[in-house]
Amino acid sequence: MTSLHARAGLTLLASGLIFAIVPGVSAAQAAELSAPNPSMTQISVNRAYATWPAVVNADEYALRVTKDGVVTHSSTSTSLTRTISLPTTTPGTRYQYTVTAIDNLDEPISDGEGGQTHQVRSTSSAKTLIVRADMTKIRFATYNVCAEHCPKLRSWSYRVSRVTAVIKSKNPDVVTLQETGGYTRLTSLTSRMKSSGYTRARGGSSRWIFYRTATMSARDYKGAALYGKTVHV
């Protein structure tokens, strides 16, 4: 006798006859739904961004946010991310949040109370988001370094060290350089700026823009907890 155990039920094939047993999902299969592991990041004064990895067998996810036991947000969708509003933005305010993975079953299973359910749900442990104050301050600078058109000045190899020293002393978060010369000069400048804590922006005319890596990031705001800093995309 050959048995086939599938999500829709157990079918037995014997002597060419097919016997269908009452369909259902075993407790072992239902237990395969893991709890999500969400994280929530404040991305502005009154907004937060929640995300979590996909859970095997989950069809959708329910995000629930509370403050002092009162629900402030509740939504269900197939998305692995959610951006929500924060009704109270006083620094130090605490929000608790959970994410529930939901498996919408094709066939019912016992709910343990004498009935049946068409869903298996697995909820994460409660986590806390603490509202932070918006303390963002940005320092901008522009600097004409005259790499090629100032022949009376000393050599570029000497001047590049002085240029980066001046920038570092002013400590701007973003600095735009003018007249940096060709790519040879730009390459040496980029290397020296990196040692001073600055990274060159990429793409198009942004090649002359440098940002301080201690306070800036080339990542999208959804990629890390960067609220309270400035994001350079």
Side-chain angles (χ1 to χ4, degrees):
M1 180 176 67
T2 302
S3 63
L4 301 175
H5 193 184
R7 182 168 175 157
L10 183 65
T11 301
L12 302 179
L13 291 86
S15 302
L17 298 178
I18 297 177
F19 300 90
I21 295 180
V22 177
V25 176
S26 69
Q29 285 176 301
E32 291 177 0
L33 191 65
S34 301
N37 183 24
S39 63
M40 185 176 289
T41 301
Q42 188 176 359
I43 58 175
S44 71
V45 174
N46 61 350
R47 289 196 307 157
Y49 175 80
T51 186
W52 50 91
V55 173
V56 176
N57 290 334
D59 296 311
E60 54 187 355
Y61 304 87
L63 171 65
R64 188 173 187 267
V65 184
T66 63
K67 185 179 79 70
D68 300 328
V70 178
V71 177
T72 60
H73 177 91
S74 181
S75 62
T76 302
S77 78
T78 59
S79 173
L80 298 176
T81 64
R82 214 72 52 84
T83 299
I84 67 168
S85 298
L86 301 175
T88 303
T89 57
T90 304
T93 299
R94 292 173 176 264
Y95 289 90
Q96 283 71 47
Y97 62 95
T98 59
V99 173
T100 300
I102 303 171
D103 185 358
N104 295 316
L105 303 174
D106 297 327
E107 301 293 343
I109 63 170
S110 171
D111 62 3
E113 299 179 356
Q116 291 182 319
T117 178
H118 283 269
Q119 281 189 342
V120 174
R121 303 168 71 92
S122 183
T123 302
S124 69
S125 58
K127 293 189 174 184
T128 301
L129 172 72
I130 302 176
V131 175
R132 291 178 285 168
D134 183 4
M135 299 297 292
T136 302
K137 294 183 179 180
I138 311 166
R139 291 174 59 86
F140 293 95
T142 180
Y143 192 174
N144 189 325
V145 298
C146 196
E148 292 183 303
H149 304 294
C150 300
K152 293 183 180 180
L153 298 178
R154 297 183 66 172
S155 68
W156 176 246
S157 59
Y158 168 82
R159 290 173 50 219
V160 69
S161 63
R162 303 302 305 149
V163 166
T164 52
V166 169
I167 293 172
K168 189 174 182 179
S169 69
K170 301 300 181 182
N171 204 31
D173 297 294
V174 178
V175 57
T176 301
L177 303 181
Q178 304 172 45
E179 295 191 32
T180 59
Y183 274 101
T184 300
R185 290 180 174 84
L186 182 61
T187 299
S188 62
L189 178 62
T190 299
S191 177
R192 189 63 71 103
M193 287 287 286
K194 184 176 181 179
S195 65
S196 298
Y198 287 84
T199 296
R200 182 164 60 90
R202 299 291 181 179
S205 58
S206 66
R207 64 181 183 177
W208 293 286
I209 299 175
F210 292 81
Y211 57 90
R212 191 159 64 98
T213 53
T215 56
M216 311 292 283
S217 173
R219 293 174 292 182
D220 182 79
Y221 72 84
K222 299 175 183 178
L226 293 170
Y227 177 67
K229 300 179 181 180
T230 300
V231 181
H232 180 84
V233 178

